[in-house]
Amino acid sequence: MHGYGPTPQQQTTSRPSPATLTTVRVILVTVTVLSCGLLGWVAMLRLAIVTRRPRDWVLLAVVMVLNAALFAFIVNTPDDPDDMSDASVLLMLLWIVALLAGVITYYLYVEIRHYSSLRSLGAPPPYTAAAHPAPLPYQQHPPQQHQQHHQQPQPNPYTVQTPPPTPTPAPQRLDQVRAELDELSDYLRKENKENKENKENREGEGR
């Protein structure tokens, strides 16, 4: 069981990069052509190791036998080309061309087809299962979180509410200020009167 989430993909068989495959093919084909087909068994050996099919192992044995026979035929031919018959020359040329064409064509065709089939087997499945994703567990009850955020605070019945301070009436304050000013003016008037009397008395005594 994997539960929720994407299903883990199976590991595919590792394969060489396209650049590596192309380089190996070019090298093997070049070796086969330059050796006039005598080293064609090298390409067939690689193909048999890659595909691991009995037919390719049998063809490898056939190519090795043909290469050995071609080598023996070339060794037994006279050193002077003028001593060779036309039939021998034609047979050798046909043998080399058929070996080259057969080995190179079969090797390239089978190996390219083999790696193409591996690529198709290792490709991911079409994007169809993601159209209806399975619901996740944490998405089953989303309204509860919104209800918690939208709850309004309720007043606490145990809190003591202090009454607002009653403002002092403005007329009483004005009356108090007016009375104080009247008292101050009376006091100043009395002091002025006393000072004047004292001044007159001093002047009378001086005369």
Side-chain angles (χ1 to χ4, degrees):
M1 293 179 63
H2 299 287
Y4 295 97
T7 304
Q9 298 181 356
Q10 297 180 355
Q11 296 182 354
T12 57
T13 305
S14 60
R15 57 185 297 271
S17 62
T20 303
L21 292 175
T22 303
T23 304
V24 172
R25 290 166 188 166
V26 170
I27 292 174
L28 292 177
V29 170
T30 304
V31 169
T32 303
V33 172
L34 293 178
S35 64
C36 296
L38 294 176
L39 294 179
W41 61 271
V42 178
M44 297 302 296
L45 177 61
R46 168 177 165 76
L47 184 63
I49 294 174
V50 169
T51 60
R52 298 179 183 179
R53 292 187 300 183
R55 182 181 65 182
D56 294 332
W57 288 105
V58 172
L59 291 177
L60 171 63
V62 171
V63 170
M64 293 180 69
V65 170
L66 292 175
N67 286 338
L70 178 61
F71 181 75
F73 180 79
I74 294 173
V75 170
N76 293 326
T77 56
D79 295 336
D80 190 1
D82 295 336
D83 296 339
M84 293 180 60
S85 61
D86 295 338
S88 299
V89 175
L90 183 61
L91 177 61
M92 186 175 62
L93 291 178
L94 290 177
W95 199 334
I96 293 174
V97 171
L99 191 60
L100 287 175
V103 170
I104 293 174
T105 303
Y106 183 79
Y107 164 69
L108 293 177
Y109 172 75
V110 175
E111 187 177 81
I112 293 172
R113 184 177 179 183
H114 172 72
Y115 282 110
S116 298
S117 62
L118 288 180
R119 184 184 303 174
S120 61
L121 290 176
Y127 188 75
T128 55
H132 303 284
L136 298 178
Y138 60 83
Q139 294 180 352
Q140 294 180 358
H141 305 286
Q144 294 181 358
Q145 298 179 358
H146 296 286
Q147 292 178 0
Q148 295 178 1
H149 291 290
H150 292 285
Q151 288 181 356
Q152 297 180 357
Q154 297 180 358
N156 190 359
Y158 297 100
T159 57
V160 179
Q161 298 181 358
T162 57
T166 56
T168 305
Q172 294 181 3
R173 182 66 178 173
L174 292 175
D175 293 341
Q176 185 178 359
V177 173
R178 189 178 300 169
E180 292 178 356
L181 291 175
D182 292 340
E183 292 178 359
L184 181 61
S185 62
D186 293 341
Y187 176 75
L188 294 174
R189 193 180 298 113
K190 290 179 181 181
E191 284 190 353
N192 292 330
K193 188 177 180 181
E194 290 178 356
N195 291 333
K196 188 182 291 186
E197 290 177 356
N198 291 332
K199 187 177 181 180
E200 291 177 354
N201 291 332
R202 288 177 184 177
E203 291 178 355
E205 292 176 357
R207 291 177 184 178

